Amino acid sequence: MIDIFFHDKTGVVSGFPGQIDGFEHADGNGEIHYYRLFDGVGVMLMQLEMGSYTEIRTQVGVLEVNFCINGRFETSFSMRSHVLLKPGDMAISCYDGLHGTKSESHFPLGYYEGLCLEIDPAAAGHWIRLNAPAFSIDFTALKQNLLGSKWYMVGPAGLRCEHVFRELYESASYAERGFLQLKVLELMLLLGRIPQERAADPYCSAEQTALAHHLRDHLLTNREGYVSLAQLAAEHAISVSHLQKLFKQTYGMPVYHYIKEYRLEQAAVELVRSRKPITEIAQHAGYDNASKFSESFKKRYGKTPSRYRADKTNAVKRSIETKTE
């Protein structure tokens, strides 16, 4: 079950945002905190502990910007449209009434923290012209820059955008309305100017995509014994090079790079959600040597595992104290 909480920073009754009433079949628990910042713009903070849910889209023309804070987020719009978000990634879509009406979202770590920014271009543009004319935001150009001829895109947010996304996520519950409005305006300006790759999406058939998912699941669950790509390729009567190409087309990175990143992200979640010793978490992530794990973790997250755990614990305490004041 997903509990939804409305917090209107404008002092006006917010009503229901574009997609907030479109979540179905959730197989766990979670909270969504929705903040309406000004006309046409709302922010959702998502904290979910579940494996999956179904999302139904109904609002045509609304820009939806998702940013992954922690965990991992996978969505399939169809067998040819597979989106994968890891921490620091964003996905941007504009529902056109045809593509992506229904999507299946999965959280393979069983945990997800993220931010979703919803923008109604017409209403937001009108508010900005009246209240913040110094921020000249051309939503048509912004959409063209981000999406081109597509209706969705996914990729790294980049350092500047990621910084603003995280500021919004961490401060939405207590910051002044004016500060949050400035952050959203800053983010929209950045999104309208960041360079985007225009590479064509590689095509995979439904059968090939299902095979890539199966290979991924096999590699992730087989922790006891080593399974080579040659063995997996032989089992499915394909070449190793074809297996590697298929995997990269589906998940956007080489096989073992994906597995390493996935297990480090899983370790980051365990550091926050459990009190397991770091040596045990390191072993679960595939590291026999705790110092090697610490080195890899620091390279990925910029902090040692112990510092990461301490900082996250302190952040939760500060959030609780702020809410109870």
Side-chain angles (χ1 to χ4, degrees), residues 213-289:
H213 292 175
H214 171 72
L215 294 172
R216 187 280 306 266
D217 291 344
H218 189 90
L219 286 165
L220 289 175
T221 55
N222 186 39
R223 293 178 178 272
E224 300 302 323
Y226 175 77
V227 178
S228 70
L229 295 186
Q231 286 176 283
L232 285 176
E235 287 177 12
H236 295 278
I238 58 177
S239 68
V240 172
S241 61
H242 182 61
L243 184 155
Q244 292 171 321
K245 181 180 178 181
L246 178 62
F247 195 96
K248 189 171 183 179
Q249 284 180 334
T250 304
Y251 291 103
M253 63 183 70
V255 176
Y256 288 120
H257 181 68
Y258 175 93
I259 301 301
K260 180 180 178 181
E261 289 287 296
Y262 183 97
R263 288 181 175 166
L264 283 174
E265 290 161 17
Q266 195 171 41
V269 173
E270 285 191 72
L271 285 167
V272 177
R273 297 181 64 198
S274 78
R275 295 184 178 181
K276 293 178 183 177
I278 291 176
T279 53
E280 182 180 339
I281 294 174
Q283 290 174 348
H284 192 246
Y287 291 83
D288 294 328
N289 189 313

Side-chain angles (χ1 to χ4, degrees), residues 7-307:
H7 313 271
D8 197 328
K9 292 286 183 178
T10 67
V12 179
V13 176
S14 62
F16 284 85
Q19 308 301 345
I20 205 119
D21 57 346
F23 301 111
E24 299 178 350
H25 309 305
D27 65 355
N29 299 307
E31 292 185 0
I32 295 177
H33 292 262
Y34 176 79
Y35 299 86
R36 178 176 176 268
L37 301 182
F38 54 83
D39 290 348
V41 173
V43 172
M44 287 188 282
L45 307 185
M46 309 177 75
Q47 299 172 325
L48 309 174
E49 295 189 14
M50 61 181 60
S52 63
Y53 67 64
T54 301
E55 182 175 356
I56 307 298
R57 290 173 177 79
T58 58
Q59 300 296 308
V60 175
V62 171
L63 274 169
E64 184 176 303
V65 184
N66 280 281
F67 177 78
C68 178
I69 298 288
N70 195 18
R72 185 172 280 262
F73 177 42
E74 299 182 3
T75 293
S76 296
F77 302 113
S78 68
M79 289 304 289
R80 286 186 60 183
S81 303
H82 184 80
V83 171
L84 168 67
L85 270 72
K86 60 184 184 301
D89 285 350
M90 65 178 180
I92 299 171
S93 63
C94 186
Y95 178 55
D96 60 5
L98 176 64
H99 302 93
T101 301
K102 180 179 179 180
S103 63
E104 302 293 334
S105 296
H106 302 274
F107 309 98
L109 298 179
Y111 176 75
Y112 177 73
E113 287 182 274
L115 178 149
C116 179
L117 180 65
E118 287 195 336
I119 305 169
D120 179 336
H126 179 71
W127 187 93
I128 292 169
R129 286 191 297 272
L130 291 178
N131 298 279
F135 290 85
S136 178
I137 299 174
D138 183 335
F139 285 100
T140 300
L142 183 150
K143 179 181 173 183
Q144 178 63 33
N145 179 58
L146 294 173
L147 300 176
S149 60
K150 297 169 60 177
W151 74 274
Y152 78 91
M153 65 78 65
V154 63
L159 291 177
R160 293 184 67 189
C161 285
E162 179 172 352
H163 177 73
V164 180
F165 276 123
R166 291 188 181 277
E167 278 192 306
L168 273 172
Y169 183 83
E170 293 167 3
S171 61
S173 62
Y174 63 84
E176 295 292 331
R177 176 166 61 98
F179 173 81
L180 298 177
Q181 290 174 339
L182 283 173
K183 289 289 106 181
V184 168
L185 290 169
E186 178 185 1
L187 184 58
M188 289 192 290
L189 285 173
L190 289 173
L191 291 174
R193 289 164 171 75
I194 58 175
Q196 297 294 328
E197 296 180 0
R198 300 300 186 192
D201 289 335
Y203 169 73
C204 291
S205 68
E207 182 180 353
Q208 288 175 321
T209 302
L211 177 57
H213 292 175
H214 171 72
L215 294 172
R216 187 280 306 266
D217 291 344
H218 189 90
L219 286 165
L220 289 175
T221 55
N222 186 39
R223 293 178 178 272
E224 300 302 323
Y226 175 77
V227 178
S228 70
L229 295 186
Q231 286 176 283
L232 285 176
E235 287 177 12
H236 295 278
I238 58 177
S239 68
V240 172
S241 61
H242 182 61
L243 184 155
Q244 292 171 321
K245 181 180 178 181
L246 178 62
F247 195 96
K248 189 171 183 179
Q249 284 180 334
T250 304
Y251 291 103
M253 63 183 70
V255 176
Y256 288 120
H257 181 68
Y258 175 93
I259 301 301
K260 180 180 178 181
E261 289 287 296
Y262 183 97
R263 288 181 175 166
L264 283 174
E265 290 161 17
Q266 195 171 41
V269 173
E270 285 191 72
L271 285 167
V272 177
R273 297 181 64 198
S274 78
R275 295 184 178 181
K276 293 178 183 177
I278 291 176
T279 53
E280 182 180 339
I281 294 174
Q283 290 174 348
H284 192 246
Y287 291 83
D288 294 328
N289 189 313
S291 63
K292 290 277 188 183
F293 169 67
S294 182
E295 181 183 341
S296 296
F297 191 91
K298 186 175 182 180
K299 186 176 180 180
R300 173 67 178 82
Y301 288 97
K303 302 176 182 179
T304 63
S306 57
R307 172 50 55 190

